[in-house]
Amino acid sequence: MCGRFTLHASELEILQEYELDQEIPGYETRYNIAPGQDILAVIHDGNSKRAGFLKWGLVPSWSKDPKIGYKMINARSETAHEKPSFKSLLSRRRCLIVADSFYEWQRNENGKQPKRISLQNRKLFAFAGLWDKWEHNGKKLYTCTILTRKANEFMQPIHDRMPVILPKEAEDEWLAPVRMDPEQAHGFISNVPIEQLDAYDVSDYVNSAQNEGDHCIRPLA
């Protein structure tokens, strides 16, 4: 799964990386982003790309209870095209979830060791995401989920799952405002190559979602 990540790039870096024309109101750097929080995503509105915040934890438009979002922070890319919660979103509501690293916890004899994982060749990258709009009694929620895949050889000793990280050249195709058949979207994700990753141990300070700041990403002595 993917249950915690970081985004401490500057707003200018994000605007330049994703060729965005508008500023990002409310943006601030984050070192310990957790489920249930608002996370930065890029969508295509049919005219242009724009960035904004979506709540992490998908609430499908048809759901009666918004609390379902806490169970839907991730979607398995292998089966998302078969699931009612994700099938239609693969066709029409794809997004980029911007990050510069993510955390995973590796089991060892002492419990679990948190690790920070990033790309070797890129500072900023995007998880493949899906989003939806939920509305009930005048209340609106815009929420999202991160697609995951089976871990590659690098990640397998750490965890058996990992987020789908889009290569730079695949981002615009994923985001394009065109309908994809769910099977087509599944094939697209299945064929996305996995870029080279780096990982190092960090303090269990990051275990609590209430903890923030660059202490979260400092290498463990």
Side-chain angles (χ1 to χ4, degrees):
M1 65 175 291
C2 177
R4 212 74 68 79
F5 67 96
T6 73
L7 179 57
H8 57 87
S10 70
E11 181 180 3
L12 180 59
E13 287 176 304
I14 296 168
L15 295 176
Q16 291 176 340
E17 180 70 20
Y18 294 99
E19 299 178 331
L20 300 168
D21 297 328
Q22 298 180 341
E23 295 180 354
I24 309 170
Y27 175 74
E28 58 182 16
T29 56
R30 294 290 312 279
Y31 292 85
N32 199 5
I33 301 169
Q37 298 177 354
D38 290 338
I39 61 178
L40 185 67
V42 179
I43 67 167
H44 200 296
D45 63 10
N47 295 311
S48 61
K49 292 187 289 187
R50 56 190 178 92
F53 292 94
L54 301 171
K55 187 175 181 179
W56 186 10
L58 188 78
V59 181
S61 58
W62 44 261
S63 177
K64 295 181 179 179
D65 186 359
K67 292 181 181 178
I68 193 175
Y70 290 102
K71 300 177 181 179
M72 300 180 72
I73 64 168
N74 292 159
R76 294 176 70 94
S77 62
E78 297 92 338
T79 57
H81 63 297
E82 302 170 345
K83 304 294 184 181
S85 299
F86 310 125
K87 189 174 182 178
S88 65
L89 304 183
L90 281 167
S91 294
R92 58 190 177 88
R93 286 187 167 170
R94 302 177 298 274
C95 64
L96 307 178
I97 296 171
V98 186
D100 46 31
S101 71
F102 63 98
Y103 298 106
E104 195 51 83
W105 280 256
Q106 183 178 31
R107 291 185 181 276
N108 59 32
E109 63 276 8
N110 299 315
K112 291 184 178 181
Q113 172 59 53
K115 290 180 175 286
R116 184 192 182 208
I117 300 147
S118 58
L119 298 190
Q120 288 185 6
N121 300 320
R122 280 197 289 157
K123 177 180 178 181
L124 272 172
F125 56 85
F127 303 127
L130 304 173
W131 70 276
D132 207 353
K133 174 185 175 182
W134 179 88
E135 188 170 2
H136 185 69
N137 292 334
K139 182 181 179 181
K140 297 179 182 179
L141 282 176
Y142 294 87
T143 63
C144 64
T145 188
I146 295 173
L147 287 162
T148 64
R149 68 192 306 174
K150 184 179 179 181
N152 68 346
E153 186 175 351
F154 178 88
M155 281 293 298
Q156 283 173 3
I158 302 172
H159 198 275
D160 62 350
R161 302 290 296 175
M162 64 181 292
V164 175
I165 298 172
L166 293 168
K168 186 61 184 175
E169 62 272 14
E171 290 177 349
D172 283 346
E173 186 174 355
W174 178 252
L175 204 59
V178 295
R179 284 185 175 270
M180 278 190 189
D181 180 273
E183 290 281 355
Q184 179 187 0
H186 172 250
F188 179 89
I189 287 296
S190 299
N191 291 316
V192 164
I194 300 176
E195 298 183 61
Q196 295 296 309
L197 302 172
D198 277 329
Y200 61 83
D201 293 348
V202 294
S203 165
D204 60 7
Y205 179 79
V206 77
N207 289 3
S208 172
Q210 296 181 359
N211 291 336
E212 260 291 345
D214 62 5
H215 184 72
C216 293
I217 65 171
R218 291 177 190 168
L220 191 64

